[in-house]
Amino acid sequence: MRAIVHEEKEGLEGLKVKEMPERQISDNEVRVKVHTAGMNRRDLAVVTKRHKADDPALIPGSDASGIVETVGGNVTKFQPGDEVIVNPGLGWQENSDAPPEGFEIVGLPDHGTFAEYYTCTEDHLERKPEHLSFEEAGVLPLAALTAYRALFTRGNLEAGQTVMLPGIGSGVLTFCLKYAKAIGARVIVTSRSESKQKEALNLGADLAISTEEDWQEALASEQVDLLIETIGNATFNKSLGVVRKGGTIVTFGSTTEDEVTFNIRQFFYGQYNLLGSTMGSAEELREMLGFISDHKIKPQLDKIFTMDQYKEAFEYIQESKNFGKIAIKVR
């Protein structure tokens, strides 16, 4: 099978498209003919930070949609011809305060979805939402699940509250915007890009400001109940400065430095809540699929690349050109 593979060289220079062997499926497994695979910043991290030149060949990719081609003898949930999506989480079935020991994400350390076929156990597949195309479904799981847990499981966002999304443009934050508006929340976004600010307003954001301006001054008349912090050191103290007293910051990922310094006295006098979040469980994935089906929510699909355009796709996300999700169309 053809696959996007990383080997021999570090960073993006180690990427190539090549033939890889298809492994035999066990009695408990399902082979999926991949239609579309979604790209995430995690894929960039895998090939630029973790994967070394002397490591074995790795197929990246955590998201995919496709059609079941073959099922093992013990599989009861699916049959050939079913349209499915891949659950990018491995080993986290039921909702819990934190991922269980051994939790992994598809695409590292084992092979991922940037290939013509993907094989997994049946409990790591879900049926494709009927209102989504294969391209839309292929970019859905990781980002949509991450947004769902951050906003609702961790952030407890409710109708009428205000959520702030600094650095709008990522797949996760565009899902956060759509989810929040679906339940009747107010949404404030920031971006250094005026075009991304305008796109967010077109999607329903109530207010868009520059990431680089004085947030306290710009939001003097606002009350921010929940803030989703994904940038890290560059904006953390600005985020803390605009959340209402007793409000909540939920954080995951970090596009700038991981380590932050803040005034702990200011923090505890303000009675703030700081919560971490990581993707989500299979139980939450099913809740999220029900939510987007009920509200007919679709991913913000920015651009579709072919497998042979892998270099352009990785560079596109590396340079944060995207507003929403990036797809790699396998078929």
Side-chain angles (χ1 to χ4, degrees):
M1 66 176 180
R2 294 182 80 233
I4 298 172
V5 176
H6 188 267
E7 63 178 349
E8 296 177 350
K9 298 179 182 179
E10 296 184 16
L12 301 189
E13 294 301 313
L15 288 165
K16 65 182 73 172
V17 174
K18 63 178 287 187
E19 288 290 328
M20 291 287 284
E22 295 177 36
R23 68 180 180 84
Q24 295 296 313
I25 69 168
S26 72
D27 286 342
N28 298 313
E29 290 183 319
V30 178
R31 177 181 288 130
V32 177
K33 182 184 291 186
V34 176
H35 184 287
T36 300
M39 175 170 277
N40 299 282
R41 291 200 73 88
R42 180 179 188 274
D43 304 314
L44 182 66
V46 166
V47 303
T48 58
K49 294 181 179 179
R50 174 265 164 198
H51 205 62
K52 298 181 176 62
D54 58 351
D55 285 334
L58 177 74
I59 302 172
S62 302
D63 288 334
S65 65
I67 297 175
V68 172
E69 182 182 70
T70 310
V71 299
N74 295 334
V75 172
T76 59
K77 186 177 175 182
F78 299 102
Q79 60 185 2
D82 286 344
E83 299 179 353
V84 295
I85 61 169
V86 172
N87 175 1
L90 301 172
W92 191 2
Q93 286 297 312
E94 297 179 354
N95 196 12
S96 56
D97 290 339
E101 289 296 322
F103 171 69
E104 298 283 0
I105 298 176
V106 171
L108 180 73
D110 296 326
H111 288 317
T113 58
F114 291 172
E116 291 181 316
Y117 294 94
Y118 178 72
T119 300
C120 62
T121 54
E122 64 178 331
D123 58 351
H124 284 101
L125 295 175
E126 298 293 339
R127 296 189 184 279
K128 180 179 79 66
E130 292 182 358
H131 73 289
L132 299 182
S133 66
F134 277 110
E135 290 81 5
E136 292 164 338
V139 303
L140 178 79
L142 190 148
L145 176 56
T146 300
Y148 187 87
R149 180 175 175 86
L151 271 193
F152 300 126
T153 306
R154 302 294 282 158
N156 291 312
L157 184 67
E158 297 178 356
Q161 292 185 326
T162 295
V163 61
M164 185 167 174
L165 308 173
I168 190 69
S170 70
V172 177
L173 292 186
T174 52
F175 276 117
C176 284
L177 195 167
K178 293 187 178 189
Y179 292 172
K181 296 310 298 180
I183 68 163
R186 179 173 171 80
V187 179
I188 300 170
V189 305
T190 84
S191 177
R192 291 177 298 173
S193 164
E194 289 188 7
S195 65
K196 289 186 179 182
Q197 291 176 40
K198 291 177 182 177
E199 288 185 85
L201 291 170
N202 289 337
L203 282 187
D206 298 279
L207 178 64
I209 64 174
S210 171
T211 304
E212 297 168 322
E213 69 179 287
D214 185 325
W215 295 1
Q216 286 183 307
E217 181 178 331
L219 303 178
S221 61
E222 296 285 348
Q223 175 174 287
V224 177
D225 301 290
L226 172 65
L227 188 145
I228 305 298
E229 172 58 68
T230 65
I231 300 175
N233 183 57
T235 58
F236 185 85
N237 278 287
K238 295 178 76 168
S239 296
L240 188 57
V242 295
V243 174
R244 68 168 175 82
K245 290 184 177 180
T248 299
I249 295 176
V250 173
T251 181
F252 57 87
S254 177
T255 55
T256 61
E257 295 89 348
D258 291 348
E259 295 186 5
V260 300
T261 301
F262 62 94
N263 187 315
I264 192 66
R265 190 170 298 276
Q266 174 194 355
F267 185 84
F268 65 68
Y269 270 119
Q271 305 286 293
Y272 299 106
N273 305 294
L274 177 60
L275 303 174
S277 191
T278 304
M279 210 167 68
S281 64
E283 181 179 351
E284 287 166 301
L285 176 64
R286 288 187 286 272
E287 290 175 6
M288 179 274 291
L289 292 173
F291 179 83
I292 67 163
S293 294
D294 289 344
H295 293 279
K296 295 297 183 285
I297 293 172
K298 295 186 176 185
Q300 190 66 20
L301 186 54
D302 180 275
K303 196 164 185 176
I304 300 174
F305 295 89
T306 66
M307 285 185 71
D308 292 319
Q309 294 173 314
Y310 63 88
K311 184 176 181 181
E312 293 95 321
F314 273 87
E315 289 175 345
Y316 192 76
I317 200 168
Q318 183 179 47
E319 296 167 10
S320 297
K321 292 182 177 179
N322 58 299
F323 185 85
K325 293 295 300 178
I326 300 169
I328 295 178
K329 194 165 184 178
V330 177
R331 300 183 187 276

